[in-house]
Amino acid sequence: MARISESTVRRLSHYYRVLEEVHAEGKAMISSHRLAEREGVTSAQVRKDLSYFGSFGRRGLGYKVEHLRKELRSILGLDQRWRVALVGAGHIGSALLAYRGFAAQGFDVVAIYDRDPARIGQKIGGLVVQDAAAIPGAAALAIDIGVIATPLKAAQEVADALVAAGVRGILNFAPRKLFVPAGVTLRTVDMTMELESLSFALHQTRARRRRAGAAG
Amino acid sequence: MARISESTVRRLSHYYRVLEEVHAEGKAMISSHRLAEREGVTSAQVRKDLSYFGSFGRRGLGYKVEHLRKELRSILGLDQRWRVALVGAGHIGSALLAYRGFAAQGFDVVAIYDRDPARIGQKIGGLVVQDAAAIPGAAALAIDIGVIATPLKAAQEVADALVAAGVRGILNFAPRKLFVPAGVTLRTVDMTMELESLSFALHQTRARRRRAGAAG
Protein backbone atom coordinates (compact mmCIF):
# COMPACT_ATOMS: atom_id res chain seq x y z
CA MET A 1 0.00 0.00 0.00
CA ALA A 2 1.29 3.47 -0.90
CA ARG A 3 2.30 5.78 1.94
CA ILE A 4 -0.81 7.80 2.81
CA SER A 5 -0.35 11.44 3.77
CA GLU A 6 -1.81 12.86 6.95
CA SER A 7 -4.03 15.21 4.94
CA THR A 8 -5.46 12.27 2.97
CA VAL A 9 -6.31 10.53 6.25
CA ARG A 10 -8.02 13.70 7.49
CA ARG A 11 -10.16 13.81 4.37
CA LEU A 12 -11.03 10.12 4.71
CA SER A 13 -12.13 10.90 8.23
CA HIS A 14 -14.42 13.63 6.90
CA TYR A 15 -15.82 11.44 4.11
CA TYR A 16 -16.57 8.83 6.74
CA ARG A 17 -18.57 11.33 8.77
CA VAL A 18 -20.52 12.49 5.71
CA LEU A 19 -21.28 8.83 4.90
CA GLU A 20 -22.52 8.23 8.45
CA GLU A 21 -24.86 11.18 8.11
CA VAL A 22 -26.10 10.20 4.67
CA HIS A 23 -26.51 6.60 5.86
CA ALA A 24 -28.62 7.79 8.80
CA GLU A 25 -30.80 9.68 6.30
CA GLY A 26 -31.44 6.34 4.58
CA LYS A 27 -29.70 7.18 1.29
CA ALA A 28 -28.18 4.25 -0.63
CA MET A 29 -25.90 6.09 -3.08
CA ILE A 30 -23.69 9.18 -2.95
CA SER A 31 -21.81 10.91 -5.76
CA SER A 32 -18.14 11.89 -5.46
CA HIS A 33 -19.43 15.39 -6.21
CA ARG A 34 -21.59 15.43 -3.07
CA LEU A 35 -18.73 14.02 -0.95
CA ALA A 36 -16.40 16.65 -2.41
CA GLU A 37 -18.80 19.53 -1.90
CA ARG A 38 -19.15 18.90 1.82
CA GLU A 39 -15.40 18.75 2.25
CA GLY A 40 -14.69 21.75 0.04
CA VAL A 41 -12.45 19.79 -2.36
CA THR A 42 -12.85 18.64 -5.98
CA SER A 43 -14.52 15.35 -6.88
CA ALA A 44 -11.25 14.33 -8.58
CA GLN A 45 -9.61 14.62 -5.13
CA VAL A 46 -12.27 12.36 -3.60
CA ARG A 47 -11.75 9.73 -6.29
CA LYS A 48 -7.96 9.95 -5.89
CA ASP A 49 -8.14 9.64 -2.07
CA LEU A 50 -10.37 6.57 -2.28
CA SER A 51 -8.37 4.97 -5.11
CA TYR A 52 -5.48 4.30 -2.68
CA PHE A 53 -7.62 1.65 -1.05
CA GLY A 54 -9.37 0.01 -3.96
CA SER A 55 -12.03 0.60 -6.54
CA PHE A 56 -15.24 1.61 -4.80
CA GLY A 57 -17.43 3.69 -7.10
CA ARG A 58 -18.92 3.18 -10.51
CA ARG A 59 -18.65 5.93 -13.09
CA GLY A 60 -21.89 7.87 -13.31
CA LEU A 61 -23.46 5.95 -10.43
CA GLY A 62 -21.37 7.11 -7.49
CA TYR A 63 -20.66 5.13 -4.34
CA LYS A 64 -22.78 2.69 -2.37
CA VAL A 65 -23.12 4.49 0.95
CA GLU A 66 -23.23 1.45 3.23
CA HIS A 67 -20.36 -0.33 1.46
CA LEU A 68 -18.05 2.69 1.40
CA ARG A 69 -18.92 3.53 5.02
CA LYS A 70 -17.89 0.03 6.14
CA GLU A 71 -14.75 0.11 4.03
CA LEU A 72 -13.69 3.49 5.46
CA ARG A 73 -14.49 2.28 8.96
CA SER A 74 -12.12 -0.61 8.43
CA ILE A 75 -9.44 1.51 6.70
CA LEU A 76 -9.49 4.00 9.58
CA GLY A 77 -9.18 1.15 12.07
CA LEU A 78 -12.48 2.13 13.71
CA ASP A 79 -13.72 -1.46 13.89
CA GLN A 80 -10.89 -2.26 16.30
CA ARG A 81 -10.62 -1.55 20.02
CA TRP A 82 -7.72 0.51 21.36
CA ARG A 83 -6.55 0.45 24.95
CA VAL A 84 -6.01 3.96 26.26
CA ALA A 85 -4.16 5.34 29.28
CA LEU A 86 -5.17 8.86 30.29
CA VAL A 87 -2.56 10.98 32.05
CA GLY A 88 -4.01 14.04 33.76
CA ALA A 89 -7.45 13.91 35.38
CA GLY A 90 -8.13 17.66 35.35
CA HIS A 91 -10.73 19.52 33.30
CA ILE A 92 -9.68 18.22 29.88
CA GLY A 93 -9.13 14.67 31.15
CA SER A 94 -12.51 14.57 32.87
CA ALA A 95 -14.28 15.96 29.80
CA LEU A 96 -12.64 13.22 27.72
CA LEU A 97 -13.75 10.53 30.14
CA ALA A 98 -17.30 11.85 29.98
CA TYR A 99 -17.18 12.09 26.17
CA ARG A 100 -19.28 9.24 24.84
CA GLY A 101 -17.83 9.47 21.33
CA PHE A 102 -14.52 8.27 22.74
CA ALA A 103 -15.76 4.74 23.50
CA ALA A 104 -18.05 4.74 20.45
CA GLN A 105 -14.95 5.21 18.27
CA GLY A 106 -13.25 2.20 19.84
CA PHE A 107 -11.14 3.93 22.49
CA ASP A 108 -11.35 2.24 25.88
CA VAL A 109 -9.74 4.07 28.77
CA VAL A 110 -8.23 1.31 30.94
CA ALA A 111 -5.96 3.41 33.20
CA ILE A 112 -5.87 6.95 34.58
CA TYR A 113 -2.78 8.62 36.02
CA ASP A 114 -2.27 11.94 37.77
CA ARG A 115 0.43 13.58 39.85
CA ASP A 116 -1.91 15.47 42.19
CA PRO A 117 -2.18 13.69 45.58
CA ALA A 118 -5.75 15.05 45.88
CA ARG A 119 -6.74 13.11 42.74
CA ILE A 120 -4.74 9.91 43.26
CA GLY A 121 -7.01 7.19 44.66
CA GLN A 122 -10.20 8.92 43.49
CA LYS A 123 -12.54 6.89 41.29
CA ILE A 124 -13.47 8.34 37.89
CA GLY A 125 -15.64 6.44 35.44
CA GLY A 126 -15.06 3.18 37.28
CA LEU A 127 -11.26 3.55 37.31
CA VAL A 128 -9.06 4.47 40.27
CA VAL A 129 -6.67 7.35 39.51
CA GLN A 130 -3.10 6.10 39.93
CA ASP A 131 0.08 7.99 40.74
CA ALA A 132 1.81 9.15 37.54
CA ALA A 133 4.98 7.60 38.96
CA ALA A 134 3.36 4.24 38.18
CA ILE A 135 3.24 4.84 34.40
CA PRO A 136 6.06 2.30 33.80
CA GLY A 137 3.59 -0.30 35.13
CA ALA A 138 1.37 0.45 32.11
CA ALA A 139 3.64 -1.90 30.15
CA ALA A 140 1.73 -4.80 31.71
CA LEU A 141 -1.60 -3.33 30.50
CA ALA A 142 -0.78 -3.51 26.76
CA ILE A 143 -1.73 0.12 26.26
CA ASP A 144 -1.99 1.25 22.63
CA ILE A 145 -2.57 4.96 23.12
CA GLY A 146 -1.57 7.47 25.77
CA VAL A 147 -3.63 10.62 26.14
CA ILE A 148 -1.67 13.50 27.67
CA ALA A 149 -3.87 16.04 29.44
CA THR A 150 -1.25 17.31 31.90
CA PRO A 151 0.09 20.81 32.44
CA LEU A 152 2.63 21.96 29.84
CA LYS A 153 5.68 21.35 32.05
CA ALA A 154 5.04 17.65 32.65
CA ALA A 155 4.05 16.73 29.09
CA GLN A 156 7.40 15.69 27.57
CA GLU A 157 8.38 13.63 30.61
CA VAL A 158 4.99 11.86 30.55
CA ALA A 159 5.36 11.20 26.80
CA ASP A 160 8.79 9.63 27.40
CA ALA A 161 7.40 7.43 30.19
CA LEU A 162 4.46 6.32 28.02
CA VAL A 163 6.72 5.46 25.08
CA ALA A 164 9.03 3.51 27.44
CA ALA A 165 5.94 1.58 28.59
CA GLY A 166 5.28 0.49 25.00
CA VAL A 167 2.67 3.04 23.90
CA ARG A 168 2.63 3.46 20.10
CA GLY A 169 0.24 6.39 19.77
CA ILE A 170 -0.05 9.64 21.70
CA LEU A 171 -2.85 12.18 21.71
CA ASN A 172 -1.46 15.34 23.24
CA PHE A 173 -3.64 18.11 24.69
CA ALA A 174 -0.78 19.97 26.41
CA PRO A 175 0.04 23.18 24.53
CA ARG A 176 3.58 22.31 23.59
CA LYS A 177 5.51 20.52 20.88
CA LEU A 178 6.39 17.00 21.97
CA PHE A 179 9.18 14.85 20.64
CA VAL A 180 8.57 11.12 20.16
CA PRO A 181 10.73 8.46 18.50
CA ALA A 182 10.05 7.18 14.97
CA GLY A 183 7.36 4.50 15.03
CA VAL A 184 5.28 6.40 17.59
CA THR A 185 2.38 8.39 16.15
CA LEU A 186 1.72 11.75 17.76
CA ARG A 187 -1.43 13.81 17.29
CA THR A 188 -1.98 17.13 18.98
CA VAL A 189 -5.11 19.00 19.97
CA ASP A 190 -3.76 22.43 20.85
CA MET A 191 -6.66 24.62 21.84
CA THR A 192 -4.41 27.38 23.15
CA MET A 193 -2.80 27.70 19.73
CA GLU A 194 -6.15 27.82 17.97
CA LEU A 195 -7.30 30.55 20.36
CA GLU A 196 -4.14 32.56 19.79
CA SER A 197 -4.45 32.16 16.05
CA LEU A 198 -8.03 33.44 16.32
CA SER A 199 -7.07 36.38 18.49
CA PHE A 200 -4.25 37.23 16.05
CA ALA A 201 -6.67 37.37 13.11
CA LEU A 202 -9.25 39.45 15.01
CA HIS A 203 -6.55 41.78 16.28
CA GLN A 204 -5.31 42.38 12.71
CA THR A 205 -8.87 43.18 11.60
CA ARG A 206 -9.45 45.49 14.56
CA ALA A 207 -6.18 47.32 13.89
CA ARG A 208 -7.02 47.68 10.18
CA ARG A 209 -10.42 49.16 11.04
CA ARG A 210 -8.84 51.63 13.44
CA ARG A 211 -6.34 52.74 10.80
CA ALA A 212 -9.17 53.08 8.26
CA GLY A 213 -11.16 55.08 10.82
CA ALA A 214 -8.21 57.35 11.59
CA ALA A 215 -7.61 57.94 7.87
CA GLY A 216 -11.30 58.58 7.07
CA MET B 1 2.34 44.56 7.08
CA ALA B 2 2.84 41.49 4.88
CA ARG B 3 0.16 38.81 4.87
CA ILE B 4 1.12 36.32 7.59
CA SER B 5 0.47 32.65 6.94
CA GLU B 6 -1.43 30.53 9.41
CA SER B 7 1.63 28.33 10.00
CA THR B 8 3.71 31.40 10.88
CA VAL B 9 1.08 32.42 13.43
CA ARG B 10 1.16 28.92 14.90
CA ARG B 11 4.91 29.12 15.32
CA LEU B 12 4.62 32.59 16.90
CA SER B 13 2.17 31.06 19.33
CA HIS B 14 4.72 28.37 20.23
CA TYR B 15 7.58 30.87 20.55
CA TYR B 16 5.36 32.86 22.90
CA ARG B 17 4.84 29.82 25.11
CA VAL B 18 8.56 29.04 25.20
CA LEU B 19 9.23 32.67 26.16
CA GLU B 20 6.66 32.48 28.97
CA GLU B 21 8.40 29.40 30.32
CA VAL B 22 11.90 30.85 30.01
CA HIS B 23 10.66 34.11 31.56
CA ALA B 24 9.23 32.17 34.51
CA GLU B 25 12.66 30.55 34.93
CA GLY B 26 14.10 34.05 35.31
CA LYS B 27 16.24 34.05 32.13
CA ALA B 28 16.86 37.41 30.49
CA MET B 29 18.09 36.33 27.04
CA ILE B 30 17.27 33.53 24.60
CA SER B 31 18.99 32.57 21.35
CA SER B 32 17.07 31.97 18.12
CA HIS B 33 18.75 28.56 18.25
CA ARG B 34 17.05 27.68 21.55
CA LEU B 35 13.68 28.98 20.32
CA ALA B 36 14.11 26.94 17.13
CA GLU B 37 15.12 23.76 18.91
CA ARG B 38 11.99 23.64 21.04
CA GLU B 39 9.80 24.13 18.00
CA GLY B 40 11.71 21.68 15.81
CA VAL B 41 12.51 24.31 13.14
CA THR B 42 15.74 26.04 12.04
CA SER B 43 16.96 29.22 13.70
CA ALA B 44 16.76 30.89 10.27
CA GLN B 45 13.00 30.16 10.37
CA VAL B 46 12.68 31.79 13.79
CA ARG B 47 14.49 34.91 12.58
CA LYS B 48 12.34 35.04 9.43
CA ASP B 49 9.07 34.62 11.38
CA LEU B 50 9.99 37.41 13.80
CA SER B 51 11.32 39.71 11.07
CA TYR B 52 7.76 40.25 9.77
CA PHE B 53 7.07 42.30 12.88
CA GLY B 54 10.26 44.24 13.35
CA SER B 55 13.84 43.87 14.40
CA PHE B 56 13.97 42.20 17.80
CA GLY B 57 17.22 40.34 18.26
CA ARG B 58 20.87 41.30 18.12
CA ARG B 59 23.29 39.13 16.18
CA GLY B 60 25.25 36.92 18.55
CA LEU B 61 23.28 38.10 21.60
CA GLY B 62 19.85 36.64 20.90
CA TYR B 63 16.56 38.07 22.06
CA LYS B 64 15.60 39.86 25.27
CA VAL B 65 13.05 37.44 26.75
CA GLU B 66 10.79 40.00 28.44
CA HIS B 67 10.78 42.38 25.48
CA LEU B 68 10.05 39.68 22.88
CA ARG B 69 7.42 38.11 25.12
CA LYS B 70 5.57 41.43 25.38
CA GLU B 71 5.89 42.08 21.66
CA LEU B 72 4.52 38.64 20.77
CA ARG B 73 1.73 39.08 23.30
CA SER B 74 0.72 42.26 21.52
CA ILE B 75 1.19 40.80 18.01
CA LEU B 76 -1.03 37.84 18.89
CA GLY B 77 -3.67 40.19 20.31
CA LEU B 78 -3.39 38.58 23.74
CA ASP B 79 -3.34 41.91 25.55
CA GLN B 80 -6.88 42.56 24.36
CA ARG B 81 -10.17 41.22 25.70
CA TRP B 82 -12.49 39.28 23.41
CA ARG B 83 -16.20 38.81 24.02
CA VAL B 84 -17.22 35.20 23.51
CA ALA B 85 -20.58 33.48 23.03
CA LEU B 86 -20.58 29.76 23.73
CA VAL B 87 -23.15 27.66 21.87
CA GLY B 88 -23.60 24.18 23.37
CA ALA B 89 -23.37 23.65 27.12
CA GLY B 90 -22.61 19.91 27.00
CA HIS B 91 -19.36 18.19 27.98
CA ILE B 92 -17.04 20.20 25.75
CA GLY B 93 -18.80 23.49 26.49
CA SER B 94 -18.68 22.91 30.24
CA ALA B 95 -15.01 21.91 30.11
CA LEU B 96 -14.28 25.16 28.24
CA LEU B 97 -16.15 27.22 30.82
CA ALA B 98 -14.15 25.56 33.58
CA TYR B 99 -10.87 26.02 31.69
CA ARG B 100 -9.00 28.82 33.45
CA GLY B 101 -6.64 29.41 30.52
CA PHE B 102 -9.58 30.70 28.52
CA ALA B 103 -10.03 33.87 30.61
CA ALA B 104 -6.28 34.17 31.18
CA GLN B 105 -5.82 34.46 27.42
CA GLY B 106 -8.35 37.30 27.21
CA PHE B 107 -11.47 35.36 26.26
CA ASP B 108 -14.51 36.38 28.31
CA VAL B 109 -17.59 34.22 27.88
CA VAL B 110 -20.51 36.67 28.07
CA ALA B 111 -23.34 34.47 26.75
CA ILE B 112 -24.20 30.76 26.65
CA TYR B 113 -26.75 29.20 24.32
CA ASP B 114 -28.15 25.70 24.06
CA ARG B 115 -31.08 24.01 22.37
CA ASP B 116 -31.80 21.48 25.13
CA PRO B 117 -34.82 22.58 27.25
CA ALA B 118 -33.20 20.79 30.24
CA ARG B 119 -30.21 23.16 30.02
CA ILE B 120 -31.98 26.41 29.10
CA GLY B 121 -32.41 28.56 32.21
CA GLN B 122 -29.66 26.74 34.14
CA LYS B 123 -26.84 28.87 35.54
CA ILE B 124 -23.27 27.96 34.52
CA GLY B 125 -20.31 30.05 35.64
CA GLY B 126 -22.55 32.98 36.57
CA LEU B 127 -24.37 33.00 33.21
CA VAL B 128 -27.90 31.79 32.47
CA VAL B 129 -28.06 29.37 29.52
CA GLN B 130 -30.27 30.92 26.83
CA ASP B 131 -32.30 29.27 24.10
CA ALA B 132 -30.22 28.91 20.92
CA ALA B 133 -33.16 30.52 19.10
CA ALA B 134 -32.05 33.76 20.78
CA ILE B 135 -28.64 33.87 19.04
CA PRO B 136 -29.77 36.75 16.77
CA GLY B 137 -30.02 38.79 20.00
CA ALA B 138 -26.25 38.35 20.42
CA ALA B 139 -25.88 41.24 17.97
CA ALA B 140 -26.63 43.59 20.90
CA LEU B 141 -23.83 42.03 22.97
CA ALA B 142 -20.99 42.96 20.56
CA ILE B 143 -19.70 39.39 20.49
CA ASP B 144 -16.29 38.96 18.85
CA ILE B 145 -16.03 35.17 18.90
CA GLY B 146 -18.53 32.35 18.78
CA VAL B 147 -17.52 28.96 20.17
CA ILE B 148 -19.48 26.09 18.63
CA ALA B 149 -19.69 23.04 20.89
CA THR B 150 -22.95 21.64 19.51
CA PRO B 151 -23.69 18.26 17.93
CA LEU B 152 -22.52 17.90 14.33
CA LYS B 153 -25.96 18.43 12.78
CA ALA B 154 -26.59 21.87 14.30
CA ALA B 155 -23.12 23.30 13.72
CA GLN B 156 -23.52 24.97 10.30
CA GLU B 157 -26.85 26.54 11.22
CA VAL B 158 -25.37 27.90 14.45
CA ALA B 159 -22.36 29.27 12.55
CA ASP B 160 -24.70 31.07 10.13
CA ALA B 161 -26.69 32.57 13.02
CA LEU B 162 -23.52 33.72 14.79
CA VAL B 163 -22.15 35.34 11.63
CA ALA B 164 -25.51 37.06 11.06
CA ALA B 165 -25.25 38.40 14.64
CA GLY B 166 -21.93 40.05 13.75
CA VAL B 167 -19.44 37.48 15.06
CA ARG B 168 -16.07 37.76 13.26
CA GLY B 169 -14.31 34.70 14.66
CA ILE B 170 -15.48 31.14 15.21
CA LEU B 171 -13.87 28.34 17.18
CA ASN B 172 -15.52 25.11 16.08
CA PHE B 173 -15.43 21.91 18.13
CA ALA B 174 -18.10 20.10 16.09
CA PRO B 175 -16.54 17.40 13.92
CA ARG B 176 -17.51 18.81 10.57
CA LYS B 177 -16.27 21.27 7.98
CA LEU B 178 -18.01 24.62 8.37
CA PHE B 179 -18.44 27.27 5.73
CA VAL B 180 -18.13 30.93 6.73
CA PRO B 181 -18.03 34.05 4.57
CA ALA B 182 -14.76 35.87 3.79
CA GLY B 183 -13.80 38.19 6.64
CA VAL B 184 -14.83 35.65 9.26
CA THR B 185 -11.96 33.65 10.78
CA LEU B 186 -12.68 30.00 11.48
CA ARG B 187 -10.52 27.71 13.62
CA THR B 188 -11.39 24.10 14.26
CA VAL B 189 -10.53 21.75 17.09
CA ASP B 190 -11.57 18.39 15.68
CA MET B 191 -10.79 15.74 18.26
CA THR B 192 -12.70 13.05 16.37
CA MET B 193 -10.46 13.55 13.36
CA GLU B 194 -7.30 13.39 15.46
CA LEU B 195 -8.54 10.16 17.05
CA GLU B 196 -9.34 8.65 13.66
CA SER B 197 -5.97 9.69 12.29
CA LEU B 198 -4.33 8.01 15.31
CA SER B 199 -6.36 4.83 14.92
CA PHE B 200 -5.52 4.76 11.19
CA ALA B 201 -1.78 4.90 11.93
CA LEU B 202 -1.95 2.24 14.66
CA HIS B 203 -4.11 0.03 12.47
CA GLN B 204 -1.54 0.24 9.65
CA THR B 205 1.25 -0.72 12.08
CA ARG B 206 -0.79 -3.59 13.52
CA ALA B 207 -1.61 -4.90 10.02
CA ARG B 208 2.06 -4.65 8.98
CA ARG B 209 3.13 -6.62 12.04
CA ARG B 210 0.54 -9.31 11.34
CA ARG B 211 1.76 -9.62 7.74
CA ALA B 212 5.37 -9.79 8.96
CA GLY B 213 4.33 -12.45 11.50
CA ALA B 214 2.51 -14.48 8.84
CA ALA B 215 5.51 -14.26 6.51
CA GLY B 216 8.03 -15.20 9.21
Side-chain angles (χ1 to χ4, degrees):
Chain A
M1 193 184 281
R3 184 138 186 89
I4 310 299
S5 77
E6 207 180 306
S7 50
T8 301
V9 178
R10 282 165 198 278
R11 284 193 300 272
L12 293 178
S13 180
H14 271 286
Y15 302 153
Y16 177 68
R17 240 124 0 116
V18 175
L19 288 163
E20 285 224 297
E21 223 179 304
V22 170
H23 178 67
E25 289 165 5
K27 298 211 175 82
M29 302 294 291
I30 188 167
S31 63
S32 55
H33 179 74
R34 170 93 202 274
L35 268 173
E37 189 182 53
R38 281 285 303 276
E39 179 54 5
V41 297
T42 65
S43 35
Q45 180 74 63
V46 173
R47 288 191 296 268
K48 189 181 168 220
D49 288 339
L50 295 175
S51 73
Y52 287 118
F53 305 94
S55 178
F56 298 111
R58 285 177 61 188
R59 187 169 281 276
L61 290 174
Y63 300 97
K64 287 184 186 160
V65 171
E66 178 54 359
H67 176 67
L68 187 55
R69 189 181 76 94
K70 278 192 181 153
E71 287 288 339
L72 280 182
R73 193 173 161 76
S74 159
I75 288 165
L76 290 169
L78 297 176
D79 47 7
Q80 317 216 3
R81 307 301 303 177
W82 306 104
R83 292 170 66 80
V84 175
L86 169 67
V87 188
H91 290 309
I92 292 174
S94 306
L96 270 178
L97 285 168
Y99 174 57
R100 280 168 303 170
F102 207 56
Q105 283 177 277
F107 298 87
D108 299 314
V109 179
V110 296
I112 307 174
Y113 299 93
D114 204 294
R115 195 168 277 179
D116 184 349
R119 288 195 193 124
I120 296 167
Q122 296 257 316
K123 216 166 175 177
I124 308 183
L127 293 166
V128 175
V129 178
Q130 297 175 68
D131 190 328
I135 292 175
L141 300 172
I143 303 290
D144 300 298
I145 295 172
V147 174
I148 301 181
T150 67
L152 191 146
K153 284 220 161 218
Q156 183 64 55
E157 197 185 318
V158 165
D160 295 344
L162 286 167
V163 169
V167 162
R168 284 291 158 264
I170 288 181
L171 182 64
N172 174 39
F173 286 89
R176 78 177 293 163
K177 195 115 179 172
L178 292 182
F179 298 95
V180 294
V184 176
T185 305
L186 171 71
R187 292 290 178 271
T188 302
V189 177
D190 189 340
M191 207 182 70
T192 305
M193 198 176 60
E194 300 299 339
L195 283 172
E196 288 178 3
S197 157
L198 206 48
S199 106
F200 172 82
L202 292 172
H203 174 47
Q204 298 279 95
T205 311
R206 200 181 260 180
R208 242 192 324 268
R209 277 196 197 146
R210 273 196 200 135
R211 280 195 300 271
Chain B
M1 195 184 282
R3 183 137 187 90
I4 311 300
S5 77
E6 209 180 305
S7 51
T8 302
V9 178
R10 283 166 199 277
R11 284 194 299 272
L12 293 177
S13 181
H14 272 287
Y15 302 153
Y16 176 68
R17 243 134 346 126
V18 174
L19 288 164
E20 285 222 299
E21 225 179 302
V22 170
H23 179 65
E25 289 165 6
K27 298 212 175 80
M29 301 294 290
I30 188 167
S31 64
S32 55
H33 179 73
R34 169 94 202 275
L35 267 173
E37 190 182 52
R38 281 285 303 276
E39 178 56 3
V41 296
T42 65
S43 36
Q45 181 73 64
V46 172
R47 288 191 295 268
K48 190 181 168 219
D49 288 340
L50 295 175
S51 73
Y52 287 117
F53 303 97
S55 177
F56 297 112
R58 284 177 62 186
R59 186 170 282 277
L61 290 175
Y63 301 97
K64 286 183 187 160
V65 172
E66 177 54 1
H67 176 67
L68 186 56
R69 190 181 75 94
K70 278 193 179 152
E71 287 288 337
L72 280 182
R73 192 173 162 75
S74 157
I75 288 165
L76 290 168
L78 298 175
D79 48 5
Q80 316 216 2
R81 306 301 303 177
W82 304 103
R83 292 170 66 81
V84 174
L86 169 68
V87 188
H91 289 310
I92 293 175
S94 305
L96 270 178
L97 285 167
Y99 174 57
R100 279 167 305 170
F102 208 55
Q105 283 177 276
F107 298 87
D108 299 314
V109 178
V110 296
I112 307 175
Y113 299 94
D114 203 294
R115 197 169 276 180
D116 183 349
R119 288 194 194 126
I120 297 167
Q122 296 257 316
K123 217 167 173 177
I124 308 182
L127 292 167
V128 175
V129 178
Q130 297 174 68
D131 191 327
I135 292 176
L141 299 172
I143 303 290
D144 299 298
I145 295 172
V147 174
I148 301 180
T150 67
L152 190 146
K153 283 217 160 220
Q156 182 65 55
E157 197 184 317
V158 164
D160 295 345
L162 286 168
V163 169
V167 162
R168 285 290 157 264
I170 288 181
L171 182 64
N172 175 38
F173 286 89
R176 79 177 293 164
K177 195 116 180 171
L178 293 182
F179 298 95
V180 294
V184 175
T185 304
L186 171 71
R187 292 291 177 271
T188 302
V189 177
D190 189 340
M191 209 183 69
T192 305
M193 198 176 60
E194 301 298 340
L195 283 174
E196 288 179 3
S197 156
L198 205 49
S199 105
F200 173 82
L202 292 173
H203 175 46
Q204 299 279 96
T205 311
R206 200 181 259 181
R208 242 192 326 268
R209 277 194 196 149
R210 271 194 203 138
R211 279 195 301 270

